[in-house]
Amino acid sequence: MPELQEVNFSDLLQRPNETVEKLKSSRRRALRVHRRGSEDDLVLTTVARADEEHELVVITVRMLRAVMSNPTVRSQYLLDVLPQVFPWIKFLPVDGQAAFAQELVDVMEASMDLDIPAPVLQLIIEWRSTAEIHADPELLAILSSPRGGDFGPVPRPTVE
């Protein structure tokens, strides 16, 4: 994927027409906007480009939903492909791999409906952490062993 062309935030403010022309001429129809004194750069893009990217996400989620709704296709293709995208999935039990695939598609669909990607990213983090536990036999044994009794009061967290 080609790198985004870059401009400073001051260029956008002081030379907006030139900046927009640079945006129009960029291959990805997007610019990275540096903000001095901030760690968070911005991305300036066109509405048409944003709409295209959203439509691509919609199509991808619909394709995954179609795959997940067909048990034969799901088992033959999606579960074979997921380790290429998420290599850590190999550490999950087989039923965990299928559960991750189903939950991923479900959360992608719900997130797409809300237009918020954070739940999908959080889900991936959570399942990756689960895979890390399964990859470490000692940790898995500790977390899987039954714990009895009361471990006492839990102190209230303090905010620093």
Side-chain angles (χ1 to χ4, degrees):
M1 180 179 298
E3 290 289 319
L4 288 176
Q5 290 186 31
E6 299 179 7
V7 296
N8 291 318
F9 191 73
S10 58
D11 295 332
L12 179 60
L13 296 174
Q14 296 169 1
R15 296 181 288 286
N17 292 338
E18 291 174 27
T19 303
V20 169
E21 287 305 314
K22 191 171 188 176
L23 171 67
K24 287 179 181 178
S25 68
S26 72
R27 184 170 173 217
R28 290 182 57 192
R29 290 179 286 153
L31 296 174
R32 178 184 215 118
V33 181
H34 292 288
R35 298 184 320 154
R36 189 176 13 174
S38 175
E39 295 179 14
D40 297 325
D41 287 346
L42 304 174
V43 174
L44 180 65
T45 190
T46 63
V47 171
R49 175 64 181 218
D51 288 347
E52 289 170 354
E53 290 176 355
H54 180 74
E55 186 62 25
L56 185 59
V57 169
V58 169
I59 291 167
T60 302
V61 170
R62 285 181 183 159
M63 283 179 23
L64 287 172
R65 169 65 60 211
V67 167
M68 288 303 294
S69 67
N70 182 321
T72 304
V73 174
R74 177 180 61 224
S75 63
Q76 288 181 344
Y77 299 107
L78 186 61
L79 293 177
D80 291 339
V81 171
L82 276 179
Q84 295 174 34
V85 179
F86 306 106
W88 47 262
I89 198 175
K90 295 172 187 171
F91 294 110
L92 294 173
V94 174
D95 60 334
Q97 293 176 19
F100 168 66
Q102 184 64 59
E103 194 173 353
L104 179 63
V105 173
D106 292 344
V107 172
M108 286 176 73
E109 190 169 45
S111 294
M112 177 191 64
D113 193 48
L114 295 175
D115 201 22
I116 302 172
V120 176
L121 301 175
Q122 182 62 38
L123 177 79
I124 293 168
I125 289 168
E126 291 168 4
W127 275 100
R128 182 177 178 165
S129 295
T130 302
E132 287 179 36
I133 291 167
H134 282 276
D136 183 339
E138 186 177 323
L139 182 58
L140 181 61
I142 291 169
L143 294 175
S144 300
S145 65
R147 300 284 182 197
D150 185 353
F151 293 102
V154 176
R156 188 177 226 37
T158 58
V159 178
E160 294 181 21

